[in-house]
Amino acid sequence: MKLQNPSLLKTGALIDGAWVAGNKKFAVHNPATGAELAQVADLGSAETKTAIAAAKAAQGPWAKLTGKQRGQILRCWFESMVQNADDLAAIMTAEQGKPLAEAKGEILYAASFLEWFGEEAKRVYGDIIPETKPGTRILVMKQPVGVVGSITPWNFPSAMITRKCAPALAAGCTVVLKPAKQTPLSALALGELAIQAGVPKGVLNIITSSNSSSIGMELCTNPDVRKIGFTGSTEVGKILMQQAAVGVKKMSLELGGNAPFIVFDDADIDAAVAGAIISKFRNAGQTCVCANRIFVQKKIAAEFNKKLAAAMAQLKVGNGTENGVTIGPLIDQNAVTKVQELVDDARSQGAVIALGGAGHALGGLFYQPTLITGATPKMRLHAEEIFGPVAAVYEFTDEAEAIQLANNTEYGLAAYFYARDLGRVFRVAEALEYGMVAVNEAILSTEVAPFGGIKESGFGREGSFYGIEEYVETKYVLLGLPQQ
Ligand code: ADP
């Protein structure tokens, strides 16, 4: 990996403003080639305790700055991310595998949270409520929660970090971040830029580790941590929730999804096909908002499937650094094995594998874009997150059946549907039990809108003016005014 600014390639953890090499290391690999990229500090709960103490010491002075001052630092961090976008994208593609253009898109999306919340830092307003007792005033103030533990996944190695750290820092909180062990280099590069931008020591700490559970346990049970922000699987989210329950910590959880993508017979089919390609195959299908179940109304199913197969044939699998590649490798062998199991299960239960269905000729962690038609709710891929480049198409008869199928899951993150009839658009948008619904559109994410789920997809919202609420406490002050 060639960088214009080699100082971005850090291998130590960041604690109290210093890079910590640690005694043990773990290897980070390129999923496209298998090559080792770096040996990164492998820390444990002792260093996590030190980082939490540093974050606690830094929190008071950080909160005492004005929102405008904190916002200016976040603005500098934003600008340096944009200036270094090519290097940051190269690091991401090397350790995560997504195509370079997608990686660059994520870097700019990640940076947008620093810009947005830097601006919001000035707008953490309180209230004055009309009193009920003469001679008193009722004040409501918003104060930072305190030290925040952030745990982030590998599929968006930068954006999931800024989506948590930007609102936390804007509100006056300090952070101990644990990035995924597959993608620590992107996190550490952001740490270096944060220091350069003027984030004071102790305000952002980054603990790299191959032992997620011991770091998670420390963050969730240390009394000095007041909030946990997590993006990852529902399974791990439930573990963290149990651990954090002991200290009744505030939490935001952005967990798994099982997104329905519904195409009604009045839809613009070409637009729906283009949307399905974007929603399904971004990051090789490894996002929590990827279309997991494509429901198509019977009357148009044959036409939709034919057009989808033709569009899928245009996808190009390969190393994300190569020109024109749209699908990189999966993250690891477990991911490939899981995807193959889901495809085999569908095949054994009567689905038709219209395209792909196996590993790619490139070998390694590359998987063929796969189209499954005739899928049914009995198949495993109806209930489970596929997290791979596999499009499963189901057929339905009417609107009521589509809604019933779509809601038939414990998840509730993102849903998509294509339709023209205005009455139908409102009925379906209201009936879908999801935190986010896209109508005739395939990409929901933007820093100005509230991202988050319901049901077992979690709670809390990231981005938008709602996002900062997750990092402030509401304090009620009743003020008795001494009489003259
Ligand atoms: P994914 O399937 O995206 O890897 P995970 O939920 O396994 O989702 O991982 C998301 C984040 O949670 C990563 O940073 C991972 O290291 C961390 N993690 C995994 N297991 C635990 C655990 N038991 N306690 C705390 N963090 C964990």
Side-chain angles (χ1 to χ4, degrees):
M1 169 190 2
K2 280 209 196 73
L3 302 179
Q4 289 154 37
N5 178 1
S7 76
L8 293 179
L9 198 59
K10 288 278 178 279
T11 56
L14 180 60
I15 301 179
D16 205 12
W19 295 102
V20 176
N23 298 326
K24 288 198 306 172
K25 311 271 182 204
F26 67 96
V28 181
H29 291 103
N30 182 330
T33 62
E36 184 177 306
L37 293 167
Q39 289 277 336
V40 172
D42 194 358
L43 304 187
S45 56
E47 293 93 342
T48 310
K49 279 193 175 77
T50 309
I52 294 168
K56 190 175 182 205
Q59 202 258 320
W62 178 244
K64 279 209 174 64
L65 294 182
T66 62
K68 185 166 175 163
Q69 288 170 321
R70 288 194 299 273
Q72 279 163 346
I73 293 174
L74 289 172
R75 174 87 207 172
C76 287
W77 191 6
F78 158 72
E79 281 166 5
S80 68
M81 269 195 82
V82 173
Q83 276 157 16
N84 289 280
D86 288 334
D87 279 351
L88 295 170
I91 293 171
M92 188 187 297
T93 294
E95 66 178 350
Q96 201 276 339
K98 67 178 66 178
L100 213 41
E102 250 186 84
K104 179 107 180 259
E106 180 183 339
I107 294 299
L108 298 178
Y109 172 57
S112 73
F113 289 100
L114 300 175
E115 181 186 42
W116 172 268
F117 284 109
E119 292 158 354
E120 284 297 290
K122 292 176 281 194
R123 303 189 192 105
V124 185
Y125 301 136
D127 272 312
I128 298 179
I129 295 175
E131 67 275 11
T132 51
K133 182 180 168 197
T136 65
R137 295 290 184 274
I138 293 174
L139 314 184
V140 178
M141 37 180 96
K142 299 289 176 82
Q143 294 182 312
V145 168
V147 176
V148 173
S150 300
I151 302 177
T152 54
W154 51 263
N155 60 346
F156 287 97
S158 295
M160 295 307 99
I161 291 175
T162 55
R163 213 155 82 165
K164 292 171 181 55
C165 295
L169 265 52
C173 300
T174 54
V175 174
V176 179
L177 164 71
K178 195 214 73 74
K181 62 175 178 284
Q182 295 89 340
T183 57
L185 301 176
S186 294
L188 297 173
L190 291 191
E192 169 65 16
L193 293 178
I195 293 173
Q196 287 177 17
V199 172
K201 72 187 182 88
V203 169
L204 173 67
N205 305 273
I206 307 176
I207 298 287
T208 48
S209 178
S210 65
N211 187 346
S212 314
S213 50
S214 71
I215 312 300
M217 175 65 100
E218 185 60 38
L219 290 173
C220 287
T221 55
N222 189 311
D224 288 336
V225 175
R226 305 296 281 276
K227 173 180 174 124
I228 298 291
F230 172 74
T231 297
S233 61
T234 294
E235 185 191 352
V236 173
K238 288 179 181 176
I239 295 171
L240 299 178
M241 212 172 161
Q242 280 176 341
Q243 292 172 351
V246 176
V248 197
K249 288 198 202 315
K250 234 174 137 76
M251 297 194 98
S252 323
L253 299 175
E254 201 259 276
L255 309 177
N258 184 2
F261 186 104
I262 311 169
V263 188
F264 289 101
D265 58 12
D266 61 328
D268 175 339
I269 296 182
D270 293 328
V273 167
I277 293 283
I278 294 168
S279 168
K280 176 70 247 181
F281 295 102
R282 200 153 61 105
N283 202 9
Q286 303 172 110
T287 91
C288 49
V289 294
C290 276
N292 207 55
R293 299 169 296 153
I294 301 174
F295 299 112
V296 184
Q297 199 152 8
K298 273 202 171 69
K299 218 163 85 187
I300 56 163
E303 182 186 353
F304 178 87
N305 287 344
K306 194 165 148 239
K307 288 182 165 170
L308 183 60
M312 282 175 62
Q314 303 301 312
L315 296 169
K316 187 173 170 206
V317 177
N319 188 325
T321 55
E322 284 166 25
N323 263 346
V325 163
T326 47
I327 299 200
L330 298 188
I331 191 70
D332 57 23
Q333 188 53 48
N334 283 345
V336 176
T337 306
K338 159 104 193 276
V339 167
Q340 191 60 57
E341 274 174 26
L342 293 180
V343 171
D344 291 343
D345 169 76
R347 186 191 278 119
S348 74
Q349 296 204 58
V352 175
I353 312 295
L355 269 184
H360 193 272
L362 289 170
L365 303 176
F366 294 101
Y367 200 86
Q368 293 180 63
T370 296
L371 175 59
I372 294 182
T373 58
T376 71
K378 288 209 177 77
M379 296 169 185
R380 275 181 60 191
L381 43 63
H382 183 271
E384 298 177 36
E385 261 189 312
I386 302 172
F387 247 60
V390 176
V393 182
Y394 306 69
E395 292 179 20
F396 67 90
T397 311
D398 58 18
E399 194 178 301
E401 188 190 6
I403 291 167
Q404 187 274 328
L405 282 165
N407 288 341
N408 181 22
T409 170
E410 68 269 23
Y411 293 107
L413 192 57
Y416 309 83
F417 72 93
Y418 282 70
R420 282 197 174 98
D421 180 275
L422 192 58
R424 167 175 282 169
V425 164
F426 268 86
R427 278 193 305 275
V428 177
E430 287 173 4
L432 287 171
E433 295 169 357
Y434 288 83
M436 299 175 283
V437 178
V439 189
N440 300 319
E441 290 286 333
I443 295 188
L444 285 150
S445 304
T446 156
E447 79 278 15
V448 308
F451 190 105
I454 61 171
K455 294 166 76 180
E456 291 192 26
S457 291
F459 50 80
R461 291 295 177 268
E462 294 186 320
S464 80
F465 67 85
Y466 297 101
I468 212 154
E469 282 296 317
E470 307 282 334
Y471 293 91
V472 294
E473 300 283 10
T474 301
K475 181 183 278 179
Y476 155 42
V477 176
L478 174 63
L479 195 61
L481 300 172
Q483 300 303 304
Q484 269 190 337

